[in-house]
Amino acid sequence: MSTNTAIEWANKTWGPIIGCTRVSSGCDGCYAIRTANIRTYNPNPKIAAAYAGTVHTTDGRLDWTGQVNLVEDRLTDPLRWRKPLRVFVNSQSDLFHEQVPEEFIARIFAVIAVTPRHTYQVLTKRHGRMRSLLGKREFWQEVGRHARQDAYRHRGAEEWIEEGASVCDPATFDQLRQLPNLWLGVSVEDQKTADMRIPALLETPAAVRWISAEPLLGPIDLCGPVHPDGGRRKLTYWLDGRPGLGEGYTTGTGLVMHPLVTGPRLDWVVAGGESGPGARPAHPDWFRLLRDQCAHSGVRYWFKQWGQWGLEAPLDGEGRIVRGARGQGVTLANDGTVYAPGDLAYPDGPRYGEAIRAGHQRANLTQLYSVGKKAAGHELDGRVHQEFPEVRPAAARAEAGR
């Protein structure tokens, strides 16, 4: 089933793969598990069969089984979409999951290659397999082989092949694997996952490289974490590209010159808080840091949502804070420490004093309230941030070492 979507930065989802497994804390509140469980009981037998066996309840918790279903009849859906669309790939799985055969991934990339009218947004937590697979010439040869088959050819493969994407020619290999309509991204929820996944992303060619910091569970410094003793021990250049010397050339006077070039960088940062049952709060400073660093480096920023927790307390008709589950409040420190979970915690109350005595006086304690995703909204400091990335021509990406 390929459907229209509520995801603001996409027009449609395309799900030829269903099923996954959790790999980090960002997966704890995975909405796809709940969705898959509901669709397992769909009265349409075709939909129910696609989700069958992917979820179960273990130790009282709904979870993935680890089974991954390859849905063949959805594979060529984008070939029939005439209007150009932004397509989010595999909202119910991870394209680079270890249970997905390389051959099936190649068939998905063949569809991407022969439908340049669409833009495909791929997001993964399997950064290692992404980097390894998309760096293999054999993989792209498989992509080319599938693109030449009749099922693809009459719907646009000729144009792609005629533009020089013959994987039999090594000279076109780099051109081939930088599909101009592929936005490749990794999910990161905190500094630890950012440090693991972003470097792998930057080593993988793509027209657009992006990160989804949702759910954001801790601060992420895209310029390199600031250490407790002060300063940044190692700049990451994730937002600006690492400077270096390009290929040398000889001038008319015999001098060998090397132009200054910059390495690959992030093109887009999407951030948002967690929603749904048991959602964890996100400190506003975490979103502000990403926003400010993107603005400084000219990288596009999209603040998707606050999630379940917002800054404004729910009030009744007389201006009093609503009590109960809807008015539940927490005091959150910038380092992610939660004070007074489960009840209203006023900044001037005794728990604030406890935090000060515990050495968190510099942690920028913030009061958040459980108000629901809709009420919390998506304004950050009174402004909506919904910027799409700039897609540079292939020649410009190649010159920048992309």
Side-chain angles (χ1 to χ4, degrees):
M1 179 175 61
S2 304
T3 64
N4 295 327
T5 177
I7 300 173
E8 296 90 340
W9 34 262
N11 306 124
K12 191 179 284 286
T13 60
W14 175 37
I17 302 170
I18 297 172
C20 202
T21 48
R22 303 178 196 257
V23 294
S24 63
S25 58
C27 302
D28 289 349
C30 178
Y31 76 92
I33 298 174
R34 300 190 298 273
T35 303
N37 184 59
I38 294 171
R39 291 179 180 172
T40 298
Y41 301 99
N42 193 289
N44 184 329
K46 192 174 182 179
I47 295 176
Y51 288 86
T54 60
V55 293
H56 65 166
T57 299
T58 176
D59 296 328
R61 181 194 195 194
L62 188 66
D63 202 354
W64 297 113
T65 62
Q67 175 178 318
V68 173
N69 295 341
L70 309 180
V71 190
E72 290 275 351
D73 61 358
R74 299 183 186 179
L75 188 58
T76 57
D77 282 356
L79 302 175
R80 293 184 288 275
W81 302 334
R82 297 303 178 187
K83 180 182 177 180
L85 298 169
R86 290 188 303 273
V87 182
F88 183 54
V89 182
N90 284 336
S91 62
Q92 297 289 304
S93 184
D94 189 317
L95 178 60
F96 298 101
H97 191 282
E98 55 274 14
Q99 295 300 320
V100 182
E102 290 188 11
E103 190 266 349
F104 198 80
I105 300 175
R107 293 170 66 188
I108 290 174
F109 270 78
V111 173
I112 294 174
V114 302
T115 52
R117 60 186 176 277
H118 303 315
T119 296
Y120 293 87
Q121 302 159 329
V122 172
L123 200 57
T124 183
K125 289 184 174 71
R126 274 76 175 179
H127 56 283
R129 193 179 188 208
M130 170 197 69
R131 175 177 53 190
S132 173
L133 191 59
L134 300 189
K136 290 168 56 177
R137 188 181 306 276
E138 295 79 9
F139 170 78
W140 290 102
Q141 289 174 335
E142 187 76 357
V143 173
R145 184 177 70 82
H146 284 291
R148 288 171 173 80
Q149 293 178 358
D150 289 342
Y152 302 86
R153 178 179 290 275
H154 71 280
R155 293 187 174 96
E158 289 89 347
E159 178 182 355
W160 178 64
I161 293 169
E162 288 172 2
E163 289 178 353
S166 172
V167 289
C168 297
D169 180 3
T172 65
F173 175 59
D174 287 337
Q175 175 187 343
L176 169 64
R177 63 185 187 144
Q178 294 190 52
L179 295 175
N181 59 336
L182 174 63
W183 296 6
L184 193 62
V186 292
S187 295
V188 297
E189 61 261 27
D190 52 25
Q191 192 69 52
K192 179 181 178 181
T193 52
D195 291 344
M196 287 191 304
R197 295 170 185 164
I198 294 177
L201 173 64
L202 296 182
E203 293 171 4
T204 309
V208 166
R209 295 183 182 88
W210 62 294
I211 64 170
S212 174
E214 183 192 14
L216 190 56
L217 303 178
I220 297 176
D221 192 330
L222 295 176
C223 296
V226 177
H227 291 263
D229 56 355
R232 306 181 196 272
R233 295 178 183 173
K234 183 179 180 181
L235 292 175
T236 62
Y237 297 101
W238 293 342
L239 292 175
D240 298 299
R242 185 177 297 277
L245 297 178
E247 185 176 351
Y249 64 94
T250 303
T251 67
T253 58
L255 292 176
V256 178
M257 304 293 289
H258 294 267
L260 182 65
V261 297
T262 55
R265 70 167 191 167
L266 295 176
D267 301 290
W268 193 31
V269 172
V270 176
E274 191 169 48
S275 59
R280 294 157 286 185
H283 198 289
D285 282 354
W286 302 345
F287 299 123
R288 291 172 180 143
L289 176 61
L290 294 175
R291 175 200 64 192
D292 295 346
Q293 290 185 338
C294 285
H296 180 269
S297 298
V299 173
R300 307 299 172 85
Y301 180 65
W302 189 296
F303 178 58
K304 183 180 175 185
Q305 63 180 31
W306 283 98
Q308 179 67 23
W309 299 85
L311 290 170
E312 300 295 328
L315 305 176
D316 62 17
E318 298 180 3
R320 296 175 298 190
I321 295 178
V322 177
R323 304 283 176 168
R326 183 167 172 264
Q328 184 185 60
V330 297
T331 299
L332 183 67
N334 184 270
D335 64 359
T337 303
V338 178
Y339 295 94
D343 56 26
L344 286 170
Y346 295 95
D348 58 350
R351 292 185 183 272
Y352 184 81
E354 291 176 10
I356 295 296
R357 290 189 292 274
H360 286 276
Q361 64 270 25
R362 297 183 180 179
N364 195 4
L365 298 174
T366 296
Q367 186 73 9
L368 295 166
Y369 299 91
S370 177
V371 296
K373 181 171 70 173
K374 183 176 181 180
H378 55 265
E379 287 190 5
L380 180 57
D381 295 331
R383 180 185 166 189
V384 174
H385 296 270
Q386 293 186 341
E387 302 170 344
F388 280 107
E390 177 185 5
V391 183
R392 293 191 289 168
R397 295 198 305 272
E399 182 179 348
R402 300 175 66 78

